Amino acid sequence: MIPSYFIAHGAPSLVLDNNAYTKFLGELAERNVKPKAIVVFSAHFEEHTQSVGVMETFDTIYDFYGFPDEMYRMTYPAKGDNEVAQQIMSLFHKNGIVSKFNTERGLDHGAWAILKLIYPNADIPVVSLSVNRELSNEQQYLMGKALSELREQDIMIIGSGGTVHNLRSVKWGMENVEKWAETFDDWLQHRLEAWDTESLFNYQELAPYGVDAVPTNEHFIPLIIAMGTGDKGKEAKLLHRSYQYGNLSLSCWEFN
């Protein structure tokens, strides 16, 4: 059974960086057999109704501005997978989750930037899934749980977001990490490794610096969804954690 992952996508320019995190992502594919398909929940794909994105070939969305010209020339022409998309729709229906197809939206940087680092050849079919910040954390978890059987077919599920993601607090050019960001991620690590869903579902009330780390929840949701896909084995493993700009966390969690 292939693991699921939560992968922080950091700043859009991550795909141009050369650091410990990008090196880690460049080697992540070696941990597993080549997936049959990749299902990715991106923090930047927000919908009120759960959307299942599929295209013959995905367009590349440049949902950022002010970055080097090279960023706007990058593409990630992954194929879609209608069969997997239909299966996802069936699993959602089976679990009482209302969903719809989206056949027009390409891959945003939350999806293509990390995929380009992990699977640069864009030779694995992709299905893109939206997030809904209005759902409870328990509902997010159940969203992932509903898709967990896909892992038995060597379909990789990725949640792309960020644990500490407060753009108003980032310190451009700062190399050291601020203590408050580490403190939040330490708390998060202990709760994930213990599979303490009760605390995790109430992280903003219980976690130190919860509101500072997660001022809006769209980047945190993919972590809860990815965790839900591991409900059967309940094993969470931190594979990497570093920071950029003082407090923007770059982390990868594996769920089995």
Side-chain angles (χ1 to χ4, degrees), residues 31-140:
R31 291 182 65 87
N32 303 294
V33 298
K34 187 176 181 179
K36 172 187 173 184
I38 298 171
V39 175
V40 57
F41 288 87
S42 171
H44 294 276
F45 183 10
E46 291 190 59
E47 294 283 346
H48 294 295
T49 300
Q50 181 61 47
S51 289
V52 179
V54 63
M55 302 178 71
E56 183 175 343
T57 301
F58 279 97
D59 299 324
T60 304
I61 301 175
Y62 307 104
D63 50 336
F64 45 79
Y65 61 91
F67 288 89
D69 290 344
E70 183 181 356
M71 291 286 296
Y72 304 94
R73 294 192 296 268
M74 289 185 175
T75 60
Y76 194 80
K79 302 293 185 183
D81 193 316
N82 286 313
E83 182 180 341
V84 173
Q86 289 281 1
Q87 188 176 359
I88 290 170
M89 291 284 283
S90 296
L91 290 171
F92 281 153
H93 179 74
K94 177 182 175 181
N95 288 275
I97 299 168
V98 177
S99 58
K100 63 180 182 180
F101 282 120
N102 185 313
T103 58
E104 299 178 350
R105 190 181 190 279
L107 298 177
D108 58 67
H109 81 270
W112 70 258
I114 60 169
L115 292 178
K116 195 171 184 68
L117 289 168
I118 304 168
Y119 297 107
N121 295 327
D123 57 351
I124 301 172
V126 171
V127 179
S128 63
L129 295 181
S130 64
V131 299
N132 180 357
R133 67 171 70 188
E134 297 175 1
L135 300 179
S136 69
N137 288 321
E138 182 175 9
Q139 288 173 307
Q140 310 288 2

Side-chain angles (χ1 to χ4, degrees), residues 210-222:
V211 175
D212 299 297
V214 190
T216 56
N217 68 344
E218 74 285 346
H219 277 75
F220 198 83
I221 288 168

Side-chain angles (χ1 to χ4, degrees), residues 83-202:
E83 182 180 341
V84 173
Q86 289 281 1
Q87 188 176 359
I88 290 170
M89 291 284 283
S90 296
L91 290 171
F92 281 153
H93 179 74
K94 177 182 175 181
N95 288 275
I97 299 168
V98 177
S99 58
K100 63 180 182 180
F101 282 120
N102 185 313
T103 58
E104 299 178 350
R105 190 181 190 279
L107 298 177
D108 58 67
H109 81 270
W112 70 258
I114 60 169
L115 292 178
K116 195 171 184 68
L117 289 168
I118 304 168
Y119 297 107
N121 295 327
D123 57 351
I124 301 172
V126 171
V127 179
S128 63
L129 295 181
S130 64
V131 299
N132 180 357
R133 67 171 70 188
E134 297 175 1
L135 300 179
S136 69
N137 288 321
E138 182 175 9
Q139 288 173 307
Q140 310 288 2
Y141 183 92
L142 293 174
M143 181 87 66
K145 184 178 179 180
L147 301 182
S148 60
E149 68 181 66
L150 295 176
R151 297 173 48 213
E152 300 172 5
Q153 304 166 40
D154 287 337
I155 296 172
M156 182 178 288
I157 303 172
I158 296 175
S160 173
T163 54
V164 181
H165 191 276
N166 187 335
L167 298 184
R168 292 187 176 184
S169 296
V170 297
K171 305 294 193 302
W172 303 105
M174 183 176 180
E175 295 184 4
N176 296 328
V177 58
E178 295 186 298
K179 184 63 178 177
W180 68 266
E182 280 191 312
T183 299
F184 174 81
D185 271 339
D186 286 344
W187 180 93
L188 188 62
Q189 178 177 350
H190 295 321
R191 299 318 183 275
L192 283 166
E193 290 174 345
W195 214 269
D196 182 0
T197 53
E198 183 176 353
S199 294
L200 288 165
F201 293 166
N202 295 282

